[in-house]
Amino acid sequence: MRITKTLTAVTPRYADNATAGMDLYVDTAMEYELQPGETYHLPTGIRVEIPRGCFGAVYPQYNLHKKGLTLADTVGIINPSDRGEIILAVKNVFSDVIRINGQWGLRIPLAQLIIQSYRFEKIEVIEGNFGTLDGAIEYRKQIVEGFQEGLNKSVDTARIKLNINAENSDPIMKL
């Protein structure tokens, strides 16, 4: 995978050999003050070229909520054809201003990028009555017919058993 970055961007990296995702930081070129309850689109200064057959998933960093932040997208998907800068939609969920970068701001990874493979599946589209009253009626008929068929088998089985018992001259058991 190829990564392109600005001079002020923090290079994405794995924290250690057992980490699934690469840490993503906000580009250090600017300082940000996030007001309570507000969502900001913060640049990372990073562009990635995801290999074909894979996609990138941007997840919130573990325990990010303890810092009063959350990713507004929850999970962001980067397709192999996407070439733009990774932008983090970050929301301040605290009642205080949160600073990022600068002398007093947070300098922690806010997200992580996980590269995952996928298999492209052919899609078969079937036109029909899905979602219409006719489709619902047809579906109900199929269910009733299946239920009736099962019920008929059960009744036939019960008749056979009852007829065997009827030979014992028990009038309640005769059909």
Side-chain angles (χ1 to χ4, degrees):
M1 180 175 78
R2 177 180 288 169
I3 297 173
T4 308
K5 67 183 211 73
T6 64
L7 294 174
T8 54
V10 178
T11 303
R13 61 183 171 272
Y14 294 100
D16 57 49
N17 290 338
T19 306
M22 290 181 276
D23 291 339
L24 292 177
Y25 295 78
V26 174
D27 192 335
T28 61
M30 292 185 61
E31 251 180 85
Y32 300 94
E33 284 190 1
L34 284 60
Q35 300 299 317
E38 296 293 321
T39 301
Y40 296 84
H41 294 91
L42 304 178
T44 62
I46 301 295
R47 295 172 190 248
V48 293
E49 291 182 28
I50 308 289
R52 187 181 176 120
C54 295
F55 68 94
V58 178
Y59 293 96
Q61 190 68 25
Y62 177 71
N63 282 332
L64 184 63
H65 66 284
K66 289 183 178 180
K67 303 289 184 189
L69 300 172
T70 186
L71 293 185
D73 293 338
T74 310
V75 176
I77 300 297
I78 303 172
N79 289 304
S81 59
D82 297 338
R83 293 291 184 261
E85 179 180 7
I86 298 174
I87 304 292
L88 303 177
V90 179
K91 182 173 183 172
N92 177 354
V93 294
F94 273 5
S95 58
D96 296 326
V97 171
I98 296 177
R99 290 177 175 77
I100 296 179
N101 293 336
Q103 184 176 358
W104 306 107
L106 294 174
R107 293 186 195 143
I108 60 168
L110 300 183
Q112 51 188 318
L113 173 62
I114 299 176
I115 307 301
Q116 298 172 288
S117 63
Y118 70 92
R119 190 175 75 202
F120 187 77
E121 295 289 335
K122 287 187 177 182
I123 298 173
E124 179 183 355
V125 177
I126 300 171
E127 304 273 334
N129 293 326
F130 181 78
T132 65
L133 182 58
D134 290 340
I137 291 170
E138 182 62 32
Y139 181 68
R140 181 174 160 76
K141 274 173 50 179
Q142 290 173 1
I143 290 173
V144 169
E145 288 170 3
F147 177 75
Q148 188 65 44
E149 185 178 313
L151 186 61
N152 289 342
K153 287 180 183 175
S154 297
V155 168
D156 290 343
T157 304
R159 281 188 177 141
I160 292 169
K161 288 180 180 177
L162 290 175
N163 285 337
I164 292 170
N165 290 336
E167 293 172 5
N168 298 334
S169 70
D170 185 353
I172 298 174
M173 300 301 271
K174 290 186 179 177
L175 288 177

